[in-house]
């Protein structure tokens, strides 16, 4: 944990099966992270996990636990009622598994593949917002905080989030790389975090060499994190994950060091 109380962790890349959740948690503790954000899909999809075992190992390693809810084939914004209801049922089951393992936050993609020309945003946004409200209440009853993530190029992008803030009570996961894809530079990011930091509970530090969703090791891209993350150094007390697409823990450890420098 940094001196100002910001807790640091990382998003596990366990979904491919190349790294087990056990290894991912132990490496998080060895690196000195405060928490691990377990990606609950693929090889670590909820039916392939023992929540009690996950929670026990996290406690043994002295780690807090967050989760990233599944999203690849989940349609909580579908305008088709049976599809949307099935997706909500699956997300509720994932939240229950997260609660069983002791996770405190759950990152949610509020997106849908129902897009123009077939479906306009004004048609699907009410479904997305209603699903956020439903899952936020469901999770809160289980002491899990839903943190809705801004998505790159598709609703809800960072530019739609005032509507999320105004029409739901959910917290936000701010993804730096996704915001950059949608035209925000480091100063814009800093302004957003300064203005809306009371609703941003979690941050994904997603570095890139250009305006793309690259997830390169933190500090190896061209994102100006010194500027972008400045508001997090001013009495903000949320959680920050480095989100790095690598199975090499040396790069993850270096990313942790870089993150500490920015915070």
């Amino acid at each position: 944990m940094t001196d100002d109380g910001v807790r640091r962790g990382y998003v596990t890349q366990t979904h491919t099966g190349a790294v087990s959740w056990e290894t991912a948690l132990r490496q998080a503790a060895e690196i000195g992270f405060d928490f691990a954000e377990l990606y609950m899909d693929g090889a670590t999809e909820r039916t392939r996990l023992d929540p009690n075992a996950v929670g026990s190992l996290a406690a043994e390693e002295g780690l807090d636990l967050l989760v990233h809810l599944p999203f690849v084939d989940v349609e909580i914004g579908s305008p088709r009622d049976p599809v949307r209801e099935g997706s909500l049922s699956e997300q509720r089951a994932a939240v229950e598994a997260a609660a069983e393992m002791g996770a405190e936050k759950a990152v949610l993609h509020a997106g849908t593949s129902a897009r123009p020309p077939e479906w306009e945003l004004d048609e699907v946004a009410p479904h997305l917002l209603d699903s956020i409200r439903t899952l936020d209440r469901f999770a809160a009853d289980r002491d899990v905080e839903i943190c809705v993530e801004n998505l790159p190029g598709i609703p809800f992008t960072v530019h739609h989030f005032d509507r999320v803030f105004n029409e739901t009570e959910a917290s936000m996961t701010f993804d730096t790389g996704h915001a950059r894809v949608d035209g925000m530079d480091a100063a814009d990011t800093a302004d957003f975090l300064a203005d809306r930091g009371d609703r941003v509970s979690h941050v994904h530090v997603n570095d890139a060499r250009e305006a793309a969703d690259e997830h390169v090791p933190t500090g190896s891209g061209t994102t100006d994190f010194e500027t972008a993350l400045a508001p997090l150094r001013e009495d903000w007390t949320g959680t920050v994950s480095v989100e790095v697409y690598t199975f090499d823990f040396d790069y993850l450890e270096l990313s942790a060091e870089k993150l500490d420098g920015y915070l």
Side-chain angles (χ1 to χ4, degrees):
M1 181 181 295
T2 57
D3 291 340
D4 58 3
V6 177
R7 285 176 294 153
R8 316 110 58 254
Y10 85 113
V11 184
T12 69
Q13 299 299 306
T14 49
H15 55 292
T16 67
V19 176
S20 70
W21 66 264
E22 295 96 335
T23 297
L25 293 189
R26 290 190 178 105
Q27 290 287 353
E30 185 175 325
I31 288 170
F33 281 129
D34 301 303
F35 66 86
E37 182 181 327
L38 180 63
Y39 181 23
M40 294 181 66
D41 214 339
T44 43
E45 187 265 339
R46 66 174 179 84
T47 63
R48 300 177 180 181
L49 290 171
D50 177 347
N52 290 325
V54 176
S56 294
L57 182 58
E60 179 184 319
E61 296 291 342
L63 290 170
D64 296 331
L65 198 62
L66 281 63
V67 299
H68 196 308
L69 296 171
F71 61 88
V72 174
D73 59 337
V74 181
E75 282 283 344
I76 65 167
S78 174
R80 307 179 200 280
D81 293 346
V83 175
R84 187 175 66 259
E85 288 304 321
S87 295
L88 281 170
S89 178
E90 179 56 37
Q91 291 291 38
R92 282 192 288 264
V95 168
E96 287 188 320
E100 286 181 46
M101 63 180 75
E104 62 179 273
K105 298 180 184 182
V107 175
L108 173 70
H109 279 203
T112 177
S113 58
R115 299 171 198 154
E118 291 81 9
W119 299 97
E120 297 299 328
L121 178 59
D122 286 345
E123 295 176 281
V124 299
H127 297 302
L128 283 169
L129 292 162
D130 188 58
S131 291
I132 292 170
R133 288 189 290 266
T134 296
L135 291 171
D136 186 47
R137 289 191 297 266
F138 183 86
D141 286 343
R142 289 151 182 81
D143 295 322
V144 178
E145 179 185 4
I146 291 292
C147 302
V148 184
E149 182 174 1
N150 58 298
L151 303 179
I154 58 173
F156 285 130
T157 72
V158 69
H159 301 299
H160 300 114
F161 252 80
D162 279 343
R163 186 166 183 182
V164 178
F165 292 147
N166 292 335
E167 298 186 43
T168 82
E169 296 181 0
S171 301
M172 181 185 188
T173 295
F174 185 96
D175 186 294
T176 63
H178 295 174
R180 187 175 175 185
V181 167
D182 287 310
M184 293 183 76
D185 61 18
D188 295 329
T189 290
D191 288 343
F192 187 98
L193 293 174
D195 292 343
R196 301 164 179 84
D198 59 326
R199 293 293 296 273
V200 178
S201 176
H202 187 47
V203 173
H204 279 173
V205 171
N206 166 8
D207 205 355
R209 296 163 294 180
E210 56 186 321
D213 192 23
E214 288 193 311
H215 300 89
V216 297
T218 304
S220 69
T222 59
T223 306
D224 177 9
F225 287 119
E226 288 284 352
T227 298
L229 302 183
L232 306 190
R233 300 192 290 269
E234 300 173 5
D235 299 322
W236 186 80
T237 56
T239 46
V240 181
S241 286
V242 290
E243 191 170 21
V244 180
Y245 288 172
T246 182
F247 299 121
D248 188 326
F249 285 99
D250 289 342
Y251 287 114
L252 192 59
E253 186 169 17
L254 181 57
S255 294
E257 293 174 7
K258 293 288 188 178
L259 177 64
D260 284 348
Y262 302 135
L263 293 178

